[in-house]
Amino acid sequence: MRQEQFVARYQAEWQALERWLALRGDRPRHAGRSPDASALNDEDIPQHYRRLCQQLALARKRGYSPQLVARLQLLMQQGHGLLYRTPPPRWRRALEFLLADFPQLVRSQARSMWVATALFVLPLVGSFALIQWHPDVIHMLMDNGAIASLERMYNPASPNLGRDSGTDWMMFGYYIMNNISIGLRTFASGLLAGLGTVLVLLFNGLTIGAAAGHLQHIGHGDPFWRFVCGHGAFELTAIVIAGGAGLQLGMKLLAPGRRRRIDALVEGGVIGAKLCLGIAAMLLIAAFIEAFWSSIAAIPAWGKYSVAAVLWTLVFVWLWRGGRGGGHAD
């Protein structure tokens, strides 16, 4: 075969491989996702790389021009460098997921997230306001034992802010178990056509708002707000994101579009599972703050609120800006 025929036959393959190398050279961690529709799929690269090696061997054997051999040699070396290089450390991949991929995924489900926010915040604000005008409503939402425990935990005279007893480490473990179970329950109940997630969000919003409203009404608002303002940035936001994950799962079940229902549900489950990883990390951070910072009664209100302002700002900026400007697609 003459060199001109050889080049004409395989030129398109080489150009496609060159485009893939240009795309993946700086961003290897985004495997399987290409902004260039003409580029090769990542799963096809090993086969194309083997073909390139065979073509390079033929070019050498047939004595084709040094320029062509040099081009194929460079392609082979670049491909080998990407295919066989050491993968990034797992801790770095986890950090990349939390800082960029997770907030991107949250934004990609914006509609579900806003609905979840409304389902959680509106009953919270509504029950808080209602109890300021009708204090007896608290007895319709909570039993007497729960009310008494709430008043005891947030008594301004109590040395332990926000809890009856227990060491910081013991409460840290308790908060992890409790918070993550709420988050997973909020997400998993989306399998009930989304209705379960709706009910969990409404119930949690109503209960938290009622508790805050009652404590505010009886004069225990200061210790309550000093306790919840810090860890609430991660905890409450995580609950809303878990709700959004559950709602998108329910929508995949109810309205799969042109796909089979099982395929849409699997897609929703994959999205939800990824979101749950980030939610678990947020709830872990919230549990740490709640156990080791929120319960310190000696810190004045201005100190608690200053730290809370920083934490809330960090959470909102992270979810709003995380992953932008780095070649990621929202």
Side-chain angles (χ1 to χ4, degrees):
M1 182 185 297
R2 298 173 58 185
Q3 178 172 317
E4 293 79 6
Q5 295 173 315
F6 183 80
V7 172
R9 174 175 294 185
Y10 299 117
Q11 179 81 288
E13 289 186 27
W14 302 336
Q15 290 174 344
L17 188 57
E18 286 170 340
R19 286 193 294 271
W20 182 87
L21 289 169
L23 288 169
R24 291 296 179 266
D26 297 328
R27 287 168 285 173
R29 70 188 186 84
H30 291 287
R33 185 174 55 183
S34 171
D36 187 346
S38 64
L40 297 171
N41 293 323
D42 290 354
E43 57 269 21
D44 297 331
I45 291 302
Q47 176 184 354
H48 281 268
Y49 180 75
R50 288 192 295 269
R51 285 173 58 83
L52 175 68
C53 293
Q54 293 170 354
Q55 292 155 9
L56 174 60
L58 284 174
R60 286 172 173 167
K61 181 178 180 180
R62 293 171 180 174
Y64 291 153
S65 69
Q67 293 83 1
L68 176 60
V69 172
R71 178 189 180 187
L72 298 181
Q73 177 72 28
L74 179 61
L75 273 177
M76 187 271 291
Q77 291 172 345
Q78 291 175 337
H80 184 277
L82 278 179
L83 286 171
Y84 297 104
R85 65 182 168 185
T86 303
R90 290 187 178 183
W91 66 264
R92 195 176 79 183
R93 182 65 192 98
L95 191 62
E96 288 172 344
F97 171 78
L98 290 176
L99 294 181
D101 295 350
F102 176 70
Q104 280 187 316
L105 192 57
V106 171
R107 294 195 299 271
S108 74
Q109 304 299 314
R111 183 178 300 178
S112 297
M113 297 301 165
W114 284 118
V115 173
T117 301
L119 290 171
F120 181 72
V121 173
L122 292 180
L124 188 154
V125 173
S127 60
F128 178 89
L130 180 62
I131 287 179
Q132 305 312 302
W133 295 318
H134 302 285
D136 291 340
V137 171
I138 188 65
H139 296 285
M140 299 173 59
L141 300 174
M142 301 177 69
D143 60 56
N144 291 334
I147 295 172
S149 176
L150 196 65
E151 294 175 355
R152 187 168 57 253
M153 285 192 298
Y154 297 103
N155 189 326
S158 174
N160 294 316
L161 190 62
R163 65 194 195 206
D164 289 329
S165 61
T167 65
D168 290 345
W169 283 106
M170 185 175 73
M171 296 308 298
F172 178 49
Y174 169 78
Y175 294 143
I176 290 174
M177 296 280 293
N178 182 67
N179 295 348
I180 291 182
S181 67
I182 292 174
L184 292 178
R185 186 164 60 247
T186 304
F187 163 65
S189 55
L191 286 170
L192 300 175
L195 181 61
T197 296
V198 171
L199 294 177
V200 171
L201 288 170
L202 290 174
F203 174 79
N204 279 284
L206 195 67
T207 303
I208 293 172
H214 175 70
L215 292 169
Q216 184 69 33
H217 178 75
I218 65 173
H220 291 189
D222 175 66
F224 173 76
W225 297 118
R226 283 192 292 127
F227 179 76
V228 302
C229 64
H231 65 267
F234 288 94
E235 183 177 324
L236 299 183
T237 307
I239 291 175
V240 169
I241 294 174
L247 290 177
Q248 66 85 26
L249 186 63
M251 286 304 300
K252 291 287 193 299
L253 186 62
L254 290 174
R258 296 184 177 181
R259 294 165 298 176
R260 294 188 306 165
R261 197 176 303 275
I262 185 64
D263 293 335
L265 191 59
V266 168
E267 179 187 347
V270 170
I271 293 172
K274 292 179 179 178
L275 286 170
C276 282
L277 291 175
I279 291 165
M282 292 180 71
L283 293 174
L284 182 63
I285 295 171
F288 184 85
I289 297 171
E290 189 172 1
F292 297 99
W293 166 259
S294 298
S295 60
I296 304 176
I299 298 175
W302 66 265
K304 288 292 185 78
Y305 295 144
S306 297
V307 171
V310 172
L311 292 174
W312 279 99
T313 301
L314 285 175
V315 169
F316 283 130
V317 170
W318 167 52
L319 294 176
W320 175 44
R321 298 298 304 172
R324 295 186 189 271
H328 304 264
D330 280 346

